[in-house]
Amino acid sequence: LEAPTMAEIRLKLTESEYADTGRLGSISWLLDGINIEDLQYVVSSYILMLPKDVSAFQRAAVQVKRQKLAACISKFHEIVDAMTEGIEVHAGTEHMDDIRFCTTDVVEEVREAADIEDVLEEIDEEVPAEAMGIWMPSSVLRNEALALGLHTLQAEELELRKGQANDCLEKLWQALSHKAIIYRQHFRSADSIWTGTRSKQEALQYHIKIEKYQRARGLMQRLGADEDTLRMIYQDIQPHQLSVDKEVTEENRYGQGSDRLAWFWRVNNSHDLQEDVWMDEFYRVNWLKAKARWQRWEEELRLVQHEMGWTVSWFKYRMEEWDQGYQQATKPGHQAYAH
């Protein structure tokens, strides 16, 4: 299943931007909003990685990051009036993390890394920049957008959210394929608490990719994406689909005969952004496993067909044998038994 990247969708929308909307700059503005959302994830992840004893330098670094992010958000909202043509809009929606992916490892990592609430209270009492709501066309309900004339902006954001979801899935593949390597080579063999903690932090980076995808999918649904697209292409990711994959590191393990790849492994971008040796190895091993499984099923089908023929032939042979005994029997009792 071919899935266009964000860059390809951006190019397509930019080429037809003026013809479709009668104005220029809306695509760049929407991309700025999406990039600011990504920056909020970056700042949040940086704070989560802080140690328990936060130094003055680290607190100053957090403050600088928040100030820069707040300036970007303020500048972005200044352009809202121009893009909405003076329509009064409410504040942006605040994204909530999916609690299904708040696993024990994540909770332990947060507790080991820092007491986030204390850090936020000591640094700044106002709403931090990484938690601020950003106004986007998706902040308005679909029926309200039609009445306000914002449906064109929503259609553009919907296409960009598809590209965002596709890019997130690609990064999720790489994160999951590397996750098993990190656990096998670093985390299990860690010779110190520091090494184990750092390896665990690296392995938990894929949670950020999941949150970005889940956010993009939720906004696509809010923007009016049809149910078939959400059900067949951009499906909901389940926690059990994110287990550590051991195809490359433990190729001889038991119980892999019935393994199935999750749906998102079958969605491919039309152009690979970079060569990844572990991804190539991952797909190679899974392709060979799928081929072996298909050949085993094909062999099983032939055996079942032959077994059916053998069963019918055996019953026919026994029928002829008993019929012969019936013909040779001289006593009525023997004939009745053979019949």
Side-chain angles (χ1 to χ4, degrees):
L1 179 62
E2 297 294 343
T5 63
M6 172 74 87
E8 293 172 340
I9 293 178
R10 175 183 182 179
L11 177 61
K12 180 181 177 180
L13 292 176
T14 304
E15 290 175 345
S16 59
E17 181 178 8
Y18 185 79
D20 294 340
T21 63
R23 61 169 176 262
L24 297 174
S26 60
I27 303 301
S28 299
W29 173 69
L30 291 171
L31 284 171
D32 289 341
I34 295 176
N35 291 334
I36 290 175
E37 292 175 352
D38 292 340
L39 288 176
Q40 288 182 313
Y41 279 109
V42 172
V43 175
S44 298
S45 62
Y46 175 81
I47 295 175
L48 288 176
M49 295 300 177
L50 291 176
K52 289 184 178 180
D53 299 328
V54 184
S55 65
F57 177 81
Q58 290 171 327
R59 294 188 181 186
V62 170
Q63 191 73 352
V64 171
K65 291 179 182 294
R66 284 177 167 172
Q67 290 176 354
K68 292 181 178 179
L69 180 57
C72 293
I73 296 174
S74 177
K75 183 179 179 180
F76 175 80
H77 283 160
E78 290 176 359
I79 312 177
V80 172
D81 290 338
M83 289 299 166
T84 59
E85 299 179 354
I87 299 174
E88 185 177 354
V89 296
H90 57 78
T93 56
E94 182 179 351
H95 175 66
M96 301 297 293
D97 291 342
D98 195 334
I99 60 174
R100 295 178 302 167
F101 300 100
C102 295
T103 58
T104 305
D105 289 339
V106 177
V107 175
E108 291 179 354
E109 183 64 22
V110 172
R111 290 174 178 173
E112 293 173 1
D115 189 341
I116 303 303
E117 294 298 330
D118 292 343
V119 173
L120 296 180
E121 291 177 0
E122 294 178 8
I123 294 179
D124 196 349
E125 295 181 356
E126 299 179 356
V127 177
E130 68 273 11
M132 290 182 180
I134 300 177
W135 191 93
M136 295 284 282
S138 55
S139 302
V140 183
L141 296 177
R142 181 67 174 168
N143 54 351
E144 295 180 4
L146 292 173
L148 296 174
L150 300 176
H151 56 282
T152 303
L153 287 175
Q154 283 199 339
E156 292 175 341
E157 184 184 355
L158 175 59
E159 294 302 317
L160 292 175
R161 293 296 181 181
K162 291 179 181 179
Q164 182 187 24
N166 296 335
D167 288 355
C168 289
L169 288 177
E170 182 184 13
K171 294 177 182 179
L172 180 60
W173 305 331
Q174 297 176 359
L176 289 178
S177 62
H178 293 173
K179 182 183 175 186
I181 309 301
I182 294 173
Y183 267 92
R184 177 67 178 272
Q185 297 182 352
H186 301 288
F187 181 61
R188 291 184 181 177
S189 59
D191 55 359
S192 66
I193 297 177
W194 182 87
T195 304
T197 302
R198 297 295 299 178
S199 300
K200 188 183 295 184
Q201 290 174 354
E202 294 176 4
L204 294 175
Q205 287 296 319
Y206 76 98
H207 280 277
I208 299 178
K209 280 81 173 177
I210 299 170
E211 289 297 336
K212 288 183 180 180
Y213 171 80
Q214 294 291 78
R215 176 177 187 144
R217 184 182 184 276
L219 292 176
M220 286 167 57
Q221 188 174 13
R222 185 180 177 89
L223 289 166
D226 59 274
E227 293 297 329
D228 290 339
T229 300
L230 296 175
R231 185 176 66 255
M232 302 301 296
I233 302 177
Y234 302 103
Q235 303 177 34
D236 188 23
I237 296 179
Q238 302 296 329
H240 66 82
Q241 298 171 334
L242 304 172
S243 59
V244 176
D245 204 299
K246 304 176 182 178
E247 305 296 349
V248 178
T249 58
E250 298 182 18
E251 62 278 1
N252 295 323
R253 61 187 174 86
Y254 292 103
Q256 59 179 323
S258 59
D259 284 352
R260 298 292 184 276
L261 288 177
W263 64 269
F264 48 79
W265 293 103
R266 299 189 294 272
V267 180
N268 298 313
N269 282 339
S270 55
H271 301 288
D272 293 331
L273 298 180
Q274 59 182 358
E275 294 293 333
D276 193 308
V277 177
W278 285 112
M279 287 296 296
D280 292 340
E281 181 70 6
F282 175 82
Y283 278 115
R284 185 186 70 84
V285 171
N286 278 279
W287 185 87
L288 293 174
K289 284 183 57 179
K291 179 183 178 183
R293 188 182 300 115
W294 178 79
Q295 291 176 336
R296 185 168 65 250
W297 288 349
E298 189 179 42
E299 180 184 8
E300 184 69 19
L301 176 61
R302 290 198 300 267
L303 288 175
V304 171
Q305 291 174 342
H306 284 295
E307 288 175 356
M308 189 63 188
W310 297 333
T311 302
V312 174
S313 299
W314 183 84
F315 278 109
K316 287 183 177 179
Y317 168 77
R318 298 298 294 174
M319 181 189 69
E320 294 174 355
E321 186 178 41
W322 281 105
D323 184 66
Q324 183 179 3
Y326 171 79
Q327 298 295 337
Q328 295 177 353
T330 56
K331 296 182 178 180
H334 293 175
Q335 292 179 343
Y337 184 80
H339 186 71

